[in-house]
């Protein structure tokens, strides 16, 4: 069957994202809240987002998807291994 690798998957750390006071991330936080609402996924510590949505968000930030990933990494709001949070 198809294997889903966690590598390359964009997973946001919601605690860190929503704690950020940095205005730079306000659109990402808004977007994440909207996705949570659409999915009815309110209790997660993390949120996996679509590659398509990353592309759309990158446009808002005048960046490329990889550029935005870099920015999110600098702010420390990405989770590289979500399973490690629940270990
Ligand atoms: P939809 O796109 O028609 O997806 C219907 C259901 O299929 C989703 O219900 C989910 O259970 C499943 N699904 C679709 N794509 C994926 C995927 O890549 N991975 C997984 N694990 N499941 C998937 P759900 O989650 O209740 O979402 C309801 C509707 O909310 C979706 O309908 C879509 O219109 C919207 N939505 C939810 N999450 C996102 C998102 O991250 N981005 C966007 N653009 N829309 C979203
Ligand atoms: P994973 O994708 O590495 O996710 C690990 C854990 O991070 C998940 O454990 C869950 O607690 C959390 N997590 C990741 N993304 C989200 C999110 O968007 N919302 C919320 N609320 N939590 C999230 P969990 O649920 O026990 O899943 C374990 C593994 O099972 C996942 O590893 C994934 O490989 C698979 N899995 C679970 N649900 C789905 C799904 O809807 N679609 C697919 N394709 N795989 C899934
Ligand atoms: P995932 O569930 O492991 O799905 C990995 C990829 O498989 C998705 O990458 C997408 O390309 C494809 N895929 C899985 N389920 C569906 C589906 O029902 N319809 C379509 N058209 N494609 C599907 P993508 O889109 O980059 O999403 C990355 C992760 O974001 C997903 O990993 C899942 O954890 C989360 N996600 C995306 N959309 C939804 C959604 O609508 N509802 C929920 N609950 N989670 C979603």
């Amino acid at each position: 069957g198809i294997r889903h690798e966690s590598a390359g998957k964009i997973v946001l750390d919601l605690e860190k994202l929503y704690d950020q006071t940095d205005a730079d991330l306000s659109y990402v936080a808004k977007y994440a809240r909207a996705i949570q609402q659409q999915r009815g996924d309110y209790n997660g510590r993390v949120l996996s987002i679509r590659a398509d949505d990353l592309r759309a968000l990158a446009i808002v930030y005048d960046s490329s998807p990889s550029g935005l990933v870099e920015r999110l990494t600098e702010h420390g709001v990405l989770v590289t291994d979500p399973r490690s949070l629940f270990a």
Side-chain angles (χ1 to χ4, degrees):
I2 297 161
R3 274 189 72 199
H4 291 287
E5 304 288 346
S6 49
K9 195 157 143 170
I10 302 303
V11 184
L12 295 169
D13 185 325
L14 293 180
E15 245 167 60
K16 288 191 182 147
L17 180 62
Y18 295 155
D19 268 354
Q20 282 272 343
T21 47
D22 203 320
D24 196 38
L25 289 179
S26 62
Y27 289 107
V28 179
K30 235 184 216 179
Y31 212 100
R33 285 190 203 281
I35 291 173
Q36 280 190 286
Q37 211 158 27
Q38 280 182 295
R39 292 184 192 165
D41 184 3
Y42 297 108
N43 295 318
R45 156 99 199 258
V46 302
L47 187 75
S48 303
I49 69 163
R50 290 184 187 177
D52 279 347
D53 289 333
L54 181 72
R55 247 189 308 277
L57 260 179
I59 292 167
V60 172
Y61 282 87
D62 254 320
S63 184
S64 60
S66 60
L68 180 55
V69 166
E70 221 170 273
R71 207 139 149 186
L72 294 171
T73 304
E74 278 163 20
H75 283 289
V77 298
L78 283 191
V79 181
T80 41
D81 181 10
R83 265 156 286 194
S84 67
L85 288 176
F86 305 93

